[in-house]
Amino acid sequence: MNILLASAEVAPYAKTGGLADITGALPVEWKKAGENPIVVMPKYGSIDVEKYNLKKTDYLLVVPMGFWEEYAGLWHGKLPGSDVDVYFIEHDIYFNRDGIYGDPHEYGDNDRRFIFFSRAVFSVCEALNFAPDIIQAHDFHAAFSLAFLKSFYRNHPLFSKTAGVYTIHNLAYQGWFNPQRAMEFSGFGMKEFYPGSWFEHKGNVNAMKVGIMFADKVTTVSPTYSQEIRWNYYGEGIDDILNLRGADLIGILNGVYYDDWSPETDKHLFHNYNLDNFHTKNHNKADFLSSLGIEADDRPDLPLVGMVTRLTEQKGIDLIVNKLENHLFNEQYRFVMLGTGDYNYVNFFNYIKWKYPKLALINIGYNNELAHRIIGCSDFIFMPSRFEPCGLTQMYALSYGTIPIVRMTGGLADTVKEYSTDSMEGTGFTFWQYNAEYFDHSIDRALSIYYNKLHWDNIRKNAMKQRFPSENSAKEYIQVFEWALEKIGVLK
Ligand code: ADP
Ligand code: GLC
């Protein structure tokens, strides 16, 4: 199957979160399974072309925008450790910036940048003479490509047998665009913008809705989230649209690319380990703490709770704000955090760092090595998310025997099971209500297990035995791609 994956983020080139991890992993698995994937993404200024051995091709892309045309260069590379072709769209005015979306405020021209990207996908295929069976568009940034597929390109020789699949990673970011601009840049014109049209939602162009409506199949990144978003509480204002497409909406759990996230091989750890010698994990904790300046008389015996996260409301940071200081004041655990995001949360963590310098090891920023160390060397990881489409961090943590304390929502509910001291089954500590007191109770349960050697060893072994390989997710996508091709009558 020829699969074109279009995404604004692909690891290792450009990443703000889990979207990149999964778009970097799926094509590698497809290729191993004998499919023929290519990846298309923008060439951001921050991408290190030398490190990844990217080369400029001779192609000049001609990209229709509105009533005019724009031009772009095309770069090429291979996903590291694989034979998967990745194509980078070079348009300096749009993409030669350090940020992907603009931080902390979104770039004012994100409508134009991502409509251009969505259209350039077709110019790449024309240049390469690549006829995709499937275009898989990830999140709102690539959503317009599915509208183009079903309109301007539906009789095009390369695309007349192409099905479109839209994959939602996070419904909270929808791409609300000004109609005059978006309808002009996309070439559809204001005649296609009217109440209830596939472009319109509450008076704006909503790119997320465009993806959902024009796709042959819609997927999201966990079975539980695929159900939750059909309800008002999780639907981010477009649950009605998701229910319209309910019959075509499928949840596929993200998978872990264990080549990158495994305690046996992780080069960022101090000592590698596996199930047979998992006590080595304790040496990792000790060396990690001393690398962060914690001495023998600073209570390195305390449980170590880690967090690696975007600092946004989604991640349940409000619950942490509510409880953390009290826990640290009582020396219940040591806290190590890595994250960037909203200023109000950054200010809170800076205050905590100042007040509890030995107990709160706060790192504001983005750092892949430190992310691996926190996830691998901590005893517990907090993910009290308000909503969580899938969440990869808790799956990574499990594989290192780092015990997740999570709210039961989305992919967290699909991957973490409450530990029972009776059955000795389970892999973590959970709570349902978005409420700091319930969060507190789950932490109490977790800490009591930490001090009980029998259960503490047992839960960590349970965790390390969990497996969510990206190979499985990749297979499920192929099944959905086949359904999409059946839907358009190409596969019988
Ligand atoms: P989300 O995509 O919502 O941010 P996930 O748990 O699915 O949440 O994925 C987050 C990914 O981003 C993980 O690979 C995590 O290690 C990484 N990550 C998040 N914040 C940082 C950071 N500040 N530095 C390095 N890696 C980070
Ligand atoms: C989004 C979600 C996260 C998910 C990731 C990859 O960023 O917030 O839950 O794991 O996408 O699908």
Side-chain angles (χ1 to χ4, degrees):
M1 203 183 275
N2 286 351
I3 304 163
L4 185 149
L5 182 155
S7 174
E9 288 185 40
V10 180
Y13 310 110
K15 163 167 167 176
T16 68
L19 167 64
D21 291 5
I22 202 75
T23 52
L26 286 175
V28 177
E29 300 295 354
W30 290 330
K31 191 88 180 186
K32 279 193 214 153
E35 311 294 346
N36 184 30
I38 68 168
V39 176
V40 181
M41 67 180 293
K43 183 177 173 294
Y44 304 107
S46 55
I47 296 178
D48 188 337
V49 294
E50 273 164 29
K51 179 169 172 197
Y52 299 117
N53 194 23
L54 311 185
K55 298 273 183 287
K56 185 159 184 164
T57 69
D58 293 334
Y59 297 112
L60 174 70
L61 303 181
V62 181
V63 184
M65 283 286 279
F67 57 81
W68 64 97
E69 287 175 335
E70 298 186 7
Y71 304 95
L74 187 65
W75 286 62
H76 172 255
K78 297 267 187 193
L79 267 179
S82 83
D83 194 30
V84 176
D85 291 304
V86 187
Y87 293 95
F88 300 84
I89 292 162
E90 178 189 48
H91 188 298
D92 282 351
I93 295 172
Y94 292 141
F95 300 127
N96 193 10
R97 313 176 188 182
D98 284 341
I100 298 179
Y101 314 114
D103 198 22
H105 304 294
E106 302 235 313
Y107 296 132
D109 59 349
N110 275 351
D111 50 359
R112 186 165 180 164
R113 297 169 76 224
F114 289 118
I115 288 172
F116 173 82
F117 169 62
S118 301
R119 189 79 192 242
V121 160
F122 296 89
S123 312
V124 173
C125 293
E126 284 172 331
L128 303 173
N129 198 26
F130 182 80
D133 298 297
I134 296 289
I135 293 181
Q136 188 192 19
H138 288 261
D139 267 352
F140 85 81
H141 326 100
F144 264 84
S145 60
L146 301 181
F148 297 139
L149 174 66
K150 297 295 178 189
S151 54
F152 308 132
Y153 295 94
R154 69 167 195 243
N155 296 321
H156 188 293
L158 289 178
F159 307 107
S160 61
K161 293 185 174 148
T162 306
V165 174
Y166 184 55
T167 297
I168 301 170
H169 293 263
N170 198 331
L171 209 58
Y173 305 96
Q174 296 182 0
W176 293 86
F177 298 158
N178 171 304
Q180 269 81 18
R181 286 171 57 92
M183 298 312 286
E184 178 171 356
F185 298 145
S186 62
F188 291 109
M190 285 302 281
K191 67 181 187 316
E192 298 296 338
F193 184 81
Y194 49 84
S197 93
W198 288 7
F199 297 93
E200 188 273 347
H201 196 71
K202 306 235 163 95
N204 286 303
V205 168
N206 182 319
M208 182 65 78
K209 177 176 175 181
V210 171
I212 294 167
M213 294 310 294
F214 282 94
D216 295 304
K217 291 281 170 189
V218 180
T219 70
T220 186
V221 288
S222 71
T224 296
Y225 192 63
S226 76
Q227 298 296 324
E228 286 176 339
I229 54 180
R230 298 179 61 175
W231 294 94
N232 177 281
Y233 182 80
Y234 288 104
E236 301 285 345
I238 56 168
D239 39 309
D240 53 341
I241 307 302
L242 289 154
N243 280 315
L244 271 178
R245 297 300 317 267
D248 291 309
L249 175 62
I250 301 143
I252 299 181
L253 191 72
N254 281 338
V256 176
Y257 191 60
Y258 286 106
D259 288 5
D260 286 346
W261 293 95
S262 169
E264 240 178 325
T265 50
D266 192 331
K267 55 185 184 310
H268 305 299
L269 290 188
F270 299 87
H271 313 276
N272 290 113
Y273 61 96
N274 59 28
L275 206 52
D276 297 329
N277 65 345
F278 76 96
H279 285 114
T280 305
K281 181 169 169 54
N282 301 337
H283 302 305
N284 273 301
K285 176 179 167 186
D287 287 354
F288 181 47
L289 287 175
S290 64
S291 80
L292 296 172
I294 300 300
E295 315 288 345
D297 53 356
D298 289 332
R299 303 236 21 223
D301 57 303
L302 283 175
L304 182 63
V305 179
M307 253 191 123
V308 177
T309 187
R310 292 183 291 113
L311 295 174
T312 64
E313 192 218 347
Q314 170 191 346
K315 300 292 179 181
I317 313 293
D318 293 311
L319 302 187
I320 311 269
V321 170
N322 197 295
K323 289 291 172 191
L324 182 65
E325 179 156 18
N326 187 265
H327 295 163
L328 296 180
F329 182 79
N330 291 315
E331 297 195 4
Q332 283 176 261
Y333 52 80
R334 175 172 274 112
F335 182 70
V336 54
M337 205 265 327
L338 168 66
T340 54
D342 296 353
Y343 281 133
N344 52 343
Y345 297 136
V346 170
N347 289 342
F348 165 76
F349 284 115
N350 279 332
Y351 157 75
I352 288 288
K353 177 180 180 173
W354 165 77
K355 188 104 185 258
Y356 302 93
K358 293 288 181 192
L359 283 181
L361 310 170
I362 304 295
N363 305 273
I364 303 299
Y366 188 90
N367 181 334
N368 187 44
E369 170 158 90
L370 189 55
H372 279 253
R373 288 186 168 173
I374 292 178
I375 292 170
C377 303
S378 300
D379 297 308
F380 298 97
I381 209 105
F382 277 161
M383 279 183 87
S385 305
R386 193 172 72 72
F387 66 94
E388 195 60 74
C390 181
L392 292 166
T393 312
Q394 83 282 6
M395 294 197 256
Y396 299 154
L398 287 168
S399 100
Y400 292 82
T402 302
I403 302 305
I405 299 174
V406 305
R407 178 160 174 266
M408 290 303 258
T409 179
L412 297 170
D414 291 331
T415 55
V416 180
K417 287 197 187 63
E418 175 77 24
Y419 185 71
S420 154
T421 48
D422 292 335
S423 68
M424 301 200 41
E425 284 170 10
T427 53
F429 297 90
T430 63
F431 63 104
W432 288 90
Q433 303 265 13
Y434 190 72
N435 174 311
E437 301 313 318
Y438 290 99
F439 178 41
D440 218 24
H441 292 318
S442 63
I443 298 172
D444 285 345
R445 293 196 301 281
L447 296 181
S448 73
I449 294 294
Y450 177 82
Y451 291 107
N452 179 320
K453 184 161 165 37
L454 171 74
H455 289 303
W456 183 232
D457 281 356
N458 187 57
I459 191 174
R460 291 191 291 173
K461 285 192 205 157
N462 289 355
M464 288 177 74
K465 284 184 200 149
Q466 298 294 308
R467 272 316 198 229
F468 308 97
S470 46
E471 190 188 343
N472 292 2
S473 321
K475 261 192 213 141
E476 288 188 50
Y477 278 107
I478 296 294
Q479 173 68 72
V480 171
F481 295 166
E482 283 170 1
W483 288 336
L485 288 166
E486 278 169 22
K487 189 159 188 202
I488 62 166
V490 172
L491 260 187
K492 296 274 180 261

